[in-house]
Amino acid sequence: MPQSAEKIKDHSTLFNEPEYQKLFENKKQFEGCHAQEVIDQQAAHINSWEYREKNFAREALVVNPAKACQPLGAVFAGAGFEKTLAFNHGSQGCTAYFRSHLTRHFKEPCSAVSTSMTEDAAVFGGLQNMIDGLNNAYHVYKPKMIAVSTTCIAEVIGDDLNAFIRNSREKGSIPQDFPVAYAHTPSFVGSHITGYDNMVKAVLSNFWEGKDRTAGTKINIIPGFDGYAVGNNRELKRILNEMEIEYTVISDVSDVFDTPTDGTFRMFDGGTKLADVEAGLNAKATIGLQKYCSDKSLEYAASKGQDVAAFHYPLGVGATDELLVKLSALTGKPIPASLELERGRLVDALADSNAWIHGKTFSVYGDPDFVYGMTRFLLEMGAEPIHLLATNGSKEWAAEMDTLLKSSPYGVKGQVWAGKDLWHLRSLLATEPSEFLIGNSYGKYLERDLGIPLIRLTFPIFDRHHHHRFPVLGYQGGLAVLRTILDKILDVLDVETAKTGISFDLVR
Ligand code: SF4
């Protein structure tokens, strides 16, 4: 065997050894695999316009959606509060998926539990699972709050969280006054961003409902579902501190998904202090950094008398300007010279690199606010967006995107695709390609099949490490995004020019 204890080969080389190659060939024969010629014909067919039309005619089938289900967002949002245990009422497998999805991205343990509903609970209801689950979660993990969301099984049979949690209190599973925020998060509507919003609203209502508000001067900020939250939330707090603004980041996962290795396992670390959430009722305003992640939460904050404002993932110069101007207007605090300096440096960097980015074409997919923010920054750079796709994008989002594209001469080629999936995107890129693709790790299959270089800039990033630790929001984040895009453009250029030696230059 090629593998030995003395020289352990990685799977990527090991499986190229003749023994394994033979095994794979035998497997193909055993499975009655088509001849290579037939496979090649089919591969060429799915890149055609004819196939694109068939692909876009499908109605009842989704292939590789660029979204996840509601409770994933609820688990993420719930994890962002002090000593809070995310708790799914539903099946274990769903919770294992949420935990592994977040762990694979952040390379960090994600704590979440479930009521482990199985066939009997699906038939008779999951009340007993809730009573036992809350009892175990409270006594074993000793959280300060439990954030309950639902998976499909509980929603299909219509379990009532309010009644179940009240029952559990009566049975003594948890103390009467123990905070349990709960949100129904049916996966057959919306996506992880809806689940995020539902859970944030549930936490706010848990602490705010039935209380009187005394308007203060602090600002609440809801970051939204963000794979770059570790870097972005810290950057956001740095900006707010620079502006001397008093704030509460609602659901702050930056320390939760970035615990140090120092010999102590922290099941809970960081998160928004529950006392701050409670006091957040008195805030002057609540701001959502991602409109489509905070619709209901902002509506709720407005119903309490707060000012509210929503942004689209403030990436780049103009979007950061708007955020800072709004913060300044709400608080009366001026934008400090230090941030103006950062702005000037980003503009300078954009000017330095403009020749390489200007006129390059990009397609972008991901959550609606990310796609909006990224497109806006591309337009600022003089790049030309081509396909802009959000599986969880609504008609309202598509209209906003159209307006954005029309606002710039570089937006004329842009096509907006709301509700389409990555298999649609494959057809789009095969028939009307862009030079680059911006998205998450799932785009690597499009990169391989269509030869369009992928720039990883959004959740989830499973096959690269540590991206989430560096901010992409604000002026500083804009620099990081600019560098990431440029690196890919210049890497591709180096690979291409190395083939001929023409223009394989040291200075770019
Ligand atoms: S879609 Fe439903 S069954 Fe699938 S992971 Fe989400 S909650 Fe579970």
Side-chain angles (χ1 to χ4, degrees):
M1 290 293 286
Q3 191 66 290
S4 77
E6 279 69 45
K7 191 164 186 225
I8 294 174
K9 289 192 171 182
D10 186 79
H11 55 87
S12 59
T13 50
L14 177 69
F15 294 151
N16 283 312
E17 294 289 336
E19 288 92 332
Y20 288 97
Q21 287 298 310
K22 187 157 181 283
L23 190 142
F24 296 148
E25 193 48 47
N26 289 345
K27 186 166 178 282
K28 269 192 202 166
Q29 300 301 332
F30 177 75
E31 290 171 346
C33 205
H34 289 294
Q36 192 57 43
E37 191 187 6
V38 178
I39 294 171
D40 292 344
Q41 273 172 7
Q42 192 59 27
H45 174 59
I46 61 172
N47 289 343
S48 66
W49 272 93
E50 185 193 352
Y51 182 82
R52 170 173 163 168
E53 275 156 30
K54 286 201 171 83
N55 191 8
F56 273 71
R58 75 183 142 92
E59 288 174 3
L61 175 69
V62 176
V63 185
N64 290 343
K67 65 167 190 168
C69 60
Q70 278 212 48
L72 175 86
V75 165
F76 182 83
F81 295 92
E82 177 191 10
K83 284 195 82 176
T84 296
L85 184 62
F87 181 112
N88 293 131
H89 181 45
S91 43
Q92 262 183 347
C94 303
T95 308
Y97 154 58
F98 309 143
R99 291 173 53 169
S100 66
H101 212 62
L102 293 167
T103 295
R104 284 170 180 174
H105 174 82
F106 289 108
K107 317 297 180 203
E108 197 78 16
C110 168
S111 301
V113 297
S114 81
T115 51
S116 290
M117 286 176 72
T118 50
E119 289 82 349
D120 53 342
V123 175
F124 301 112
L127 174 60
Q128 195 55 46
N129 297 61
M130 179 68 83
I131 292 169
D132 294 342
L134 284 177
N135 186 46
N136 289 337
Y138 176 75
H139 288 98
V140 175
Y141 300 114
K142 302 184 174 36
K144 279 184 98 166
M145 178 165 76
I146 292 178
V148 181
S149 52
T150 45
T151 74
C152 286
I153 186 172
E155 286 300 324
V156 168
I157 61 171
D159 278 359
D160 179 349
L161 288 184
N162 183 21
F164 281 19
I165 293 165
R166 203 173 53 235
N167 248 296
S168 302
R169 289 190 199 279
E170 278 160 16
K171 298 268 180 196
S173 298
I174 44 172
Q176 284 293 345
D177 57 353
F178 180 78
V180 177
Y182 63 91
H184 283 277
T185 48
S187 294
F188 24 87
V189 289
S191 71
H192 58 288
I193 60 174
T194 330
Y196 178 97
D197 191 17
N198 284 337
M199 182 49 75
V200 168
K201 186 188 167 197
V203 172
L204 297 182
S205 0
N206 181 77
F207 289 101
W208 295 1
E209 210 43 38
K211 300 206 177 117
D212 293 328
R213 171 171 175 263
T214 312
T217 53
K218 269 179 121 176
I219 304 290
N220 298 324
I221 303 211
I222 304 171
F225 190 100
D226 181 13
Y228 279 70
V230 169
N232 278 344
N233 288 5
R234 289 176 185 160
E235 176 63 5
L236 174 70
K237 288 185 269 187
R238 186 188 69 82
I239 291 171
L240 293 163
N241 289 335
E242 289 273 314
M243 292 183 74
E244 298 179 358
I245 290 173
E246 285 185 290
Y247 61 87
T248 300
V249 175
I250 302 286
S251 181
D252 181 5
V253 297
S254 54
D255 291 344
V256 177
F257 289 118
D258 189 24
T259 56
T261 293
D262 57 5
T264 306
F265 170 68
R266 294 161 173 80
M267 178 145 176
F268 305 106
D269 201 12
T272 311
K273 297 262 181 253
L274 301 190
D276 289 343
V277 182
E278 196 167 4
L281 172 63
N282 298 327
K284 175 171 175 42
T286 296
I287 286 179
L289 293 192
Q290 299 190 66
K291 177 182 167 183
Y292 293 102
C293 286
S294 49
D295 271 345
K296 290 180 199 155
S297 303
L298 292 183
E299 198 180 292
Y300 181 65
S303 77
K304 295 289 165 193
Q306 297 182 10
D307 292 336
V308 294
F311 295 83
H312 292 299
Y313 206 69
L315 266 171
V317 182
T320 306
D321 289 352
E322 274 172 21
L323 174 66
L324 299 192
V325 167
K326 185 70 189 177
L327 284 168
S328 178
L330 283 169
T331 59
K333 303 272 185 182
I335 298 169
S338 57
L339 293 178
E340 281 184 29
L341 197 62
E342 287 178 21
R343 182 188 193 278
R345 287 175 181 147
L346 174 57
V347 173
D348 184 57
L350 289 168
D352 291 345
S353 311
N354 180 259
W356 291 110
I357 298 187
H358 188 273
K360 291 275 187 306
T361 56
F362 294 82
S363 293
V364 186
Y365 69 90
D367 286 342
D369 292 291
F370 168 75
V371 176
Y372 186 102
M374 193 69 242
T375 303
R376 184 172 177 182
F377 193 27
L378 287 171
L379 293 172
E380 257 174 9
M381 293 190 263
E384 297 182 12
I386 303 295
H387 301 294
L388 307 155
L389 182 143
T391 307
N392 47 0
S394 59
K395 281 188 187 152
E396 183 193 350
W397 170 78
E400 284 187 293
M401 287 293 298
D402 279 334
T403 307
L404 173 66
L405 291 169
K406 285 194 182 101
S407 71
S408 164
Y410 307 116
V412 288
K413 295 181 192 156
Q415 299 178 61
V416 180
W417 304 99
K420 300 300 178 203
D421 56 42
L422 294 188
W423 194 246
H424 288 118
L425 185 57
R426 191 190 191 289
S427 282
L428 293 171
L429 291 171
T431 48
E432 292 177 285
S434 56
E435 290 167 280
F436 296 90
L437 174 63
I438 295 177
N440 56 28
S441 289
Y442 290 109
K444 75 190 292 178
Y445 300 101
L446 297 168
E447 179 179 46
R448 180 191 62 185
D449 294 353
L450 302 167
I452 298 175
L454 169 68
I455 302 167
R456 293 163 179 79
L457 274 168
T458 192
F459 179 88
I461 299 178
F462 293 152
D463 60 340
R464 298 290 185 271
H465 291 203
H466 307 308
H467 288 222
H468 63 276
R469 296 179 193 277
F470 301 95
V472 295
L473 295 190
Y475 303 128
Q476 290 295 102
L479 280 175
V481 173
L482 172 68
R483 184 207 50 210
T484 305
I485 292 174
L486 272 172
D487 276 354
K488 184 62 84 174
I489 291 172
L490 297 177
D491 281 348
V492 168
L493 186 69
D494 278 348
V495 169
E496 287 306 312
T497 54
K499 289 176 190 164
T500 60
I502 297 170
S503 294
F504 184 69
D505 296 335
L506 178 64
V507 181
R508 299 283 193 199

